[in-house]
């Protein structure tokens, strides 16, 4: 298992287009990918789950991956979020 915290910096948060791209990216990994935000935990490969979190700019989320490619998945997803959020 691997996990890391990441701050959402994009002014629209993790909604619509950024969420969709993130779900697609998460789907590329064999590991189970979970986003933890506050008391909620959702499958990061589910667009409805990700959108249900309502993550906004400045919020911290935790990405947790469990499986054979967990370390790689966490690193790539955190990097993806940082790059995606910078693009807006």
């Amino acid at each position: 298992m691997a996990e890391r915290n990441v701050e959402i910096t994009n002014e629209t948060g993790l909604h619509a287009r950024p969420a969709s791209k993130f779900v697609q990216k998460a789907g590329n990994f064999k590991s189970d990918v979970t986003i933890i935000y506050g008391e909620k935990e959702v499958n990061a490969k589910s667009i409805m789950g990700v959108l249900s979190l309502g993550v906004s700019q400045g919020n911290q989320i935790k990405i947790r991956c469990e499986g054979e490619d967990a370390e790689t998945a966490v690193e790539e997803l955190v990097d993806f979020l940082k790059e995606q959020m910078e693009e807006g």
Side-chain angles (χ1 to χ4, degrees), residues 2 8-9 16 22 26 28-29 31 33 35 41 45-46 48-49 55-56 60 70 75 80-81 83 85:
I8 304 302
T9 57
F22 181 81
N28 292 332
F29 299 102
S31 292
V33 183
I35 296 176
E41 291 188 25
K45 297 179 183 181
S46 163
M48 294 308 292
V55 178
S56 300
Q60 287 268 343
E75 292 302 318
F80 179 81
L81 276 178
E83 291 168 18
M85 294 302 137

Side-chain angles (χ1 to χ4, degrees), residues 34-42 49 51-55 62:
T34 304
I35 296 176
I36 302 163
Y37 175 58
E39 299 295 315
K40 298 180 186 175
E41 291 188 25
V42 300
L51 291 175
S52 75
L53 292 175
V55 178
K62 181 179 289 185

Side-chain angles (χ1 to χ4, degrees), residues 11-75:
E11 61 188 42
T12 62
L14 193 55
H15 299 283
R17 195 166 177 212
S20 176
K21 289 182 176 183
F22 181 81
V23 168
Q24 288 177 346
K25 179 78 171 172
N28 292 332
F29 299 102
K30 293 179 182 175
S31 292
D32 291 330
V33 183
T34 304
I35 296 176
I36 302 163
Y37 175 58
E39 299 295 315
K40 298 180 186 175
E41 291 188 25
V42 300
N43 178 352
K45 297 179 183 181
S46 163
I47 187 68
M48 294 308 292
V50 173
L51 291 175
S52 75
L53 292 175
V55 178
S56 300
Q57 181 181 30
N59 294 149
Q60 287 268 343
I61 63 171
K62 181 179 289 185
I63 299 174
R64 176 182 295 153
C65 300
E66 296 183 62
E68 62 186 79
D69 56 358
E71 291 289 340
T72 302
V74 166
E75 292 302 318

